[in-house]
Amino acid sequence: MTGQDPDAPSNGPDPASSVGAGLLDEDMGPSSALAHLYRGEIHRMKFWRERLDQTTNWVVLLIAAVLTWAFSSASNPHYVLLVGDAAVVMFLFVEARRYRAYDLWRSRVRDLQQNVWAVGLDPEMEVEETAWRERLARDYRTPVLKISTEEALAHRLRRVYFALFTVLNGAWLLRVTAFGETPWPESAAVGSVSGLVVTAAVAGLHVVAAVVCCRPRTWHTEGELLDEDLRERSDR
């Protein structure tokens, strides 16, 4: 029997170098590995979606408690509503951070939906972006958040938080004008801070939130519901 030198180079291809080769070839179709990958991304996206909803539920409960306490007695100080404002701002930043993580998983799901499942369901459809595999592989190797904190804040303000701020600040304005023991602006004072200064601060913060919420921007988040033509397509 002829021995073989273990140090001699192998004539066949290195198995490690061909890992993933042909994973999405047309004659092979989406493999079971890809199906498991897609299911895993859907699970992570759902998990972070639930964390977003959980934060929003906390904020709604907080606002309900603050409003109930502030209007339960005329002797209760109005600035508890401002404390509620500060707490909602804190939750907004927490939710914006969670939304950036949620967008990371959702962007991968959208890549797979647009370039694998949509094309697989319609054989006549062509992949619009040929470099999507390289981009997705790079994202798996080195994950990067796709959107900035400011864009995440704007998205959550548009969806939920600007309406909540409007309700809370409107309740505060009603509290210091219609239910104040002294006329406005004295009724809006907090300690040694005059009512005009407090009112200007509340109004200024509300305007800042409106600017962040509504200013024109290019959205980088991977959300199909952000498509402006979505309603038009549904009406056809």
Side-chain angles (χ1 to χ4, degrees):
M1 180 180 295
T2 304
Q4 183 178 1
D5 186 359
D7 297 329
S10 174
N11 295 328
D14 182 6
S17 65
S18 60
V19 172
L23 183 65
L24 296 177
D25 287 349
E26 293 182 1
D27 58 345
M28 181 178 181
S31 67
S32 59
L34 183 62
H36 286 300
L37 174 66
Y38 179 72
R39 184 164 58 234
E41 295 297 348
I42 287 288
H43 174 74
R44 286 195 282 189
M45 184 183 74
K46 176 178 177 292
F47 172 75
W48 282 95
R49 176 72 258 181
E50 290 173 349
R51 295 193 71 184
L52 286 174
D53 294 339
Q54 187 180 51
T55 309
T56 304
N57 292 339
W58 291 344
V59 172
V60 172
L61 290 174
L62 171 67
I63 291 177
V66 168
L67 290 177
T68 300
W69 190 85
F71 287 94
S72 62
S73 173
S75 61
N76 291 338
H78 67 86
Y79 56 77
V80 70
L81 294 168
L82 302 182
V83 175
D85 252 346
V88 173
V89 170
M90 179 190 69
F91 279 113
L92 172 60
F93 276 90
V94 170
E95 189 158 325
R97 186 175 69 248
R98 292 182 174 183
Y99 183 80
R100 296 181 75 193
Y102 165 70
D103 182 73
L104 175 64
W105 314 124
R106 184 170 62 176
S107 65
R108 294 175 178 176
V109 169
R110 287 299 296 155
D111 264 342
L112 294 172
Q113 289 175 342
Q114 291 172 323
N115 300 299
V116 178
W117 308 120
V119 179
L121 291 171
D122 185 358
E124 298 181 358
M125 182 184 296
E126 295 183 357
V127 178
E128 297 180 358
E129 186 180 356
T130 57
W132 71 272
R133 291 179 64 174
E134 290 79 2
R135 184 183 67 250
L136 188 58
R138 186 167 55 251
D139 189 53
Y140 275 115
R141 184 180 297 274
T142 309
V144 177
L145 294 174
K146 309 298 189 303
I147 61 175
S148 64
T149 300
E150 195 263 351
E151 182 176 338
L153 288 171
H155 186 88
R156 300 316 297 161
L157 279 168
R158 284 194 176 196
R159 297 296 185 188
V160 180
Y161 279 81
F162 189 74
L164 296 180
F165 278 124
T166 301
V167 170
L168 198 56
N169 291 334
W172 175 82
L173 184 62
L174 180 66
R175 179 69 175 76
V176 298
T177 53
F179 295 91
E181 297 180 353
T182 57
W184 183 86
E186 288 81 5
S187 60
V190 178
S192 60
V193 182
S194 68
L196 282 177
V197 173
V198 174
T199 303
V202 172
L205 291 175
H206 199 77
V207 169
V208 170
V211 170
V212 174
C213 172
C214 302
R215 77 171 180 86
R217 70 180 68 245
T218 299
W219 295 95
H220 298 93
T221 182
E222 291 287 341
E224 61 271 28
L225 296 180
L226 294 177
D227 190 346
E228 296 180 357
D229 298 331
L230 180 64
R231 187 179 299 275
E232 297 179 4
R233 292 197 302 268
S234 65
D235 294 336
R236 292 174 185 173

